[in-house]
Amino acid sequence: MRSLDGITIRAHFYPATNRAGDERVPTVLIGPGYPTLGDTNPDADTSHQIGQRTLRAEGYNTLTWDPRGIGGSGGTVQFDSPDYEARDVQALIDFVGTAPEALLDAPSDPGVGVSGSSYGGAIQLATAAIDSRLDAIVPDVTWHNLGTGFFPEGAMRTFFAVSICRSGPAANGIPGNLLGPAAALLDRAAAPIKTACLESLGGTVNPASRQFFIDRTPPGLRERVNTPTLITQGTVDTFFGLSEAVANYRALRSRDVPVKMVWHCGGHGRCTTSTGEDGHLKRAGLSWLNRYLTRNETVDTGAPFEWLADDGIWRSGSGYPLPPAGAVEASGANFKSLGVSLVDSTASGRDGIAGDAGTQRRHGRLHDTPDGERHRRRLASEDHLHGHRGVAEHVSVRADRRQRANRVIGSQVTPLPVVLDDQARSVERDLQPIAAHAGANERYRVQITPGTGVFGPQHSVGGVILRKVDGWLPLVNAGGAGGGTARALALRAARVAPAPGRG
C-alpha cells in the first residue's frame, strides 16, 4: 500500500478465525519492535503480550506491517515520528477501512485498536495524537520522550548503541571494524540517526543529535492523545524505565482520558524474580480491547493501577501514586574519606544491567530500617535522593538494593550530573521508580558508583568527595488490593558508612 507521502508500506491482513460469513469485526494492528518486521505467522502468539492467534480467536482481524525503512517498506527510519511513521499508520487505518471483513464505525472510520511493544508501543501514542479514529491502544515498554529515554541527564544508555546503532539500518556506513556484521545492513536510517551512532562510538552524543530524538516526541504530543490507553511497563526495563510510563499515565489521566497502568517484570532487561500469575498481562490487554474497541460496557478492566512486586504477587490500587504509608529516611554527613574515584572504563554490572559494585568498590552506604512494631510494606514509588557537594560525572545511583540478595532492584539506575571544577555543588534528583516488597528487618542501600553497564564506561578521570547525603524512600500500604491505611514508620538515624579509601 502507499503511505501519505507516496512511499510503499508492506502490510499483512488476517481475518478473524471465528468470523461468520460476511460478518464485519474490529481490527487490531500489531506494531513490531525495532528493527523487526511485521509478523507473517497468523497463528503466532507471545508469552505475555497479545499475539495474532489469541486476537483472531477472540474475534478480531489483525494487521501487521514492516515499519518505514525496515524490511519491505520504503523510506528511511525516522523513529516513530508523528510526521512520518504515524502518518504511515494513518494510511494503514485507511486500508483497513476498505477491507470487507472490517467493522466500520463510520465511513472511512474502521473499528481499530493497536498493540505492540517498545517501537511498536510508541507508534500507538504518536498515531493517537494525530488520528482520533483509534478506539483503543495497548502500548507496552515504551517511552514518553526519547530524550529522557535514550539520554537522561546527557548520559547515554549502552542500549542505545547496541540496540539502535548496532542491530538496525543505522549501522550501514559505519566502519565494519567498529560495529561488526551490522555495518553491512542497508542504509535506511535518517541521517541524524547515523550521525548519533557515529558519535556514540566515542561514548557521547552531541546536543544537536540528541535533539533529533527529542523531536520525535515534541512537547504536548502526549497531551493530544484521547484514545483509551492501557500502559504496561517493565519493572526491570533499563532502557525505558517506569518513569516513562508514569509520565504517559499522568498526561492522560490529567485530562480524564480512560487509562490504566500495569507494571510487570519484563521489558528491555532481565527478570530475575517471579513473573507472577501466567497470562495476567494478556488478559488485561484483551479486557481493554473488549471494553473499548468493541464498546462493551459490561467488561471489567480491573483497577486503574496494577503492579508486580519482586515477590511475584500482583497488587492493585485506585490510581498512581498510591496512598502513602510513611517513608524510610536516611542521612549521612561530615565524611573524611567518603569519595568516588573516577577511572576510565570503571563500571559495575554489564551491558544493560546494573549490578552490585562489590566489596572492594563500595564507596558508601545509605540505609535505615524502622524501629518499633514491624509492618510489611510494598514499595511502588519514586525514590528521592538529595546529595550535597557533588557526585561524579554521570554517576549511577542504584536504589534500593536488598542487602540479603546483593542485587539492584530491577537493575534500576539514575545518572547524576556534576561539573568537575573543584567547586562545592548540590545535586537533588528523583530516582527511577521501583516495585518491591519490603519485609521486616530488611535493609536497603543506595549505591553510588562511578559507572555502570547501563550507561557504559566512565570517560572522566578524577575524584569526588561526598560531604552530605540525604535520602528518603516513600512506602505504600500492604493491606492488599485496593490499598487502605497503614501506620507511618518510626524512623531512626542512619549513616553512610565511609569508604575504605579514596583513589
Side-chain angles (χ1 to χ4, degrees):
M1 50 156 283
R2 293 284 181 182
S3 185
L4 301 181
D5 61 352
I7 73 161
T8 300
I9 298 293
R10 176 180 288 173
H12 320 277
F13 183 89
Y14 302 97
T17 54
N18 59 355
R19 191 176 62 91
D22 58 356
E23 179 187 10
R24 289 176 173 265
V25 298
T27 303
V28 177
L29 281 59
I30 304 175
Y34 183 87
T36 59
L37 311 183
D39 185 11
T40 57
N41 181 359
D43 294 318
D45 233 332
T46 59
S47 58
H48 70 279
Q49 278 293 297
I50 320 168
Q52 291 210 71
R53 182 177 62 192
T54 297
L55 287 168
R56 294 175 65 233
E58 192 74 10
Y60 297 108
N61 307 314
T62 59
L63 183 145
T64 68
W65 75 100
D66 298 354
R68 173 181 293 251
I70 298 173
S73 294
T76 58
V77 174
Q78 299 288 337
F79 233 82
D80 278 351
S81 165
D83 298 323
Y84 294 95
E85 282 88 354
R87 297 186 74 202
D88 297 340
V89 176
Q90 282 189 298
L92 292 173
I93 297 172
D94 293 340
F95 170 79
V96 171
T98 67
E101 301 91 346
L103 178 70
L104 298 180
D105 295 333
S108 302
D109 181 8
V112 172
V114 194
S115 69
S117 300
S118 191
Y119 199 69
I123 193 57
Q124 302 176 48
L125 293 160
T127 305
I130 66 171
D131 198 316
S132 61
R133 291 179 295 174
L134 289 182
D135 297 295
I137 57 176
V138 187
D140 178 47
V141 295
T142 195
W143 61 84
H144 175 75
N145 185 286
L146 280 178
T148 54
F150 284 168
F151 315 110
E153 300 286 358
M156 185 185 71
R157 295 189 190 273
T158 302
F159 267 18
F160 171 80
V162 173
S163 300
I164 306 307
C165 302
R166 306 188 188 190
S167 64
N172 184 55
I174 299 176
N177 62 328
L178 295 177
L179 292 186
L185 296 176
L186 294 175
D187 180 11
R188 301 180 63 188
I193 298 178
K194 184 171 297 181
T195 298
C197 288
L198 284 167
E199 293 168 351
S200 73
L201 296 173
T204 187
V205 173
N206 292 329
S209 297
R210 292 201 300 269
Q211 190 63 44
F212 170 84
F213 291 96
I214 293 172
D215 291 342
R216 303 305 92 183
T217 45
L221 183 69
R222 298 297 190 244
E223 285 69 25
R224 291 157 52 190
V225 175
N226 293 300
T227 303
T229 304
L230 170 62
I231 299 169
T232 61
Q233 202 81 1
T235 58
V236 296
D237 197 313
T238 56
F239 207 170
F240 305 122
L242 295 173
S243 58
E244 298 292 310
V246 169
N248 283 330
Y249 174 85
R250 286 171 170 161
L252 274 61
R253 189 169 188 184
S254 66
R255 295 178 294 106
D256 294 325
V257 177
V259 60
K260 173 173 178 168
M261 182 168 64
V262 179
W263 293 357
H264 61 93
C265 191
H268 306 87
R270 185 167 63 93
C271 182
T272 59
T273 58
S274 172
T275 56
E277 177 190 12
D278 289 343
H280 187 95
L281 274 185
K282 188 176 296 186
R283 287 191 295 272
L286 280 175
S287 295
W288 195 260
L289 293 172
N290 291 340
R291 166 63 182 87
Y292 291 103
L293 180 51
T294 67
R295 302 183 182 181
N296 184 350
E297 296 183 1
T298 66
V299 174
D300 182 10
T301 59
F305 176 47
E306 296 182 44
W307 78 97
L308 185 74
D310 56 358
D311 60 354
I313 298 175
W314 283 101
R315 298 180 177 88
S316 62
S318 59
Y320 185 90
L322 294 160
V328 174
E329 298 186 39
S331 181
N334 300 319
F335 307 116
K336 297 295 183 181
S337 60
L338 181 61
V340 176
S341 301
L342 305 184
V343 180
D344 188 32
S345 297
T346 299
S348 61
R350 59 184 188 276
D351 285 353
I353 299 177
D356 179 29
T359 304
Q360 300 304 316
R361 291 162 58 187
R362 289 176 185 166
H363 299 285
R365 289 188 291 189
L366 176 64
H367 56 74
D368 196 4
T369 52
D371 281 336
E373 182 181 356
R374 303 289 180 172
H375 291 271
R376 299 180 69 81
R377 311 286 181 176
R378 273 68 170 175
L379 315 181
S381 56
E382 297 168 76
D383 332 328
H384 190 79
L385 181 74
H386 187 184
H388 295 276
R389 301 280 184 175
V391 263
E393 180 182 6
H394 300 329
V395 151
S396 303
V397 180
R398 303 166 180 105
D400 293 287
R401 188 177 64 80
R402 186 173 292 185
Q403 290 279 94
R404 64 192 175 107
N406 282 341
R407 62 178 176 84
V408 179
I409 292 181
S411 296
Q412 294 303 318
V413 55
T414 302
L416 301 180
V418 300
V419 178
L420 298 177
D421 60 358
D422 204 30
Q423 300 297 311
R425 297 180 183 274
S426 176
V427 176
E428 183 173 353
R429 289 293 185 276
D430 288 337
L431 306 185
Q432 272 290 343
I434 58 173
H437 170 268
N441 300 314
E442 288 186 344
R443 179 171 294 178
Y444 292 77
R445 186 181 72 188
V446 172
Q447 175 177 264
I448 300 177
T449 67
T452 168
V454 174
F455 287 100
Q458 173 63 255
H459 293 282
S460 298
V461 177
V464 174
I465 296 177
L466 308 179
R467 298 296 185 192
K468 187 174 188 295
V469 178
D470 299 311
W472 62 275
L473 176 66
L475 305 179
V476 298
N477 180 51
T485 303
R487 291 180 53 187
L489 295 177
L491 302 174
R492 64 178 173 82
R495 60 186 285 271
V496 177
R502 175 177 177 235

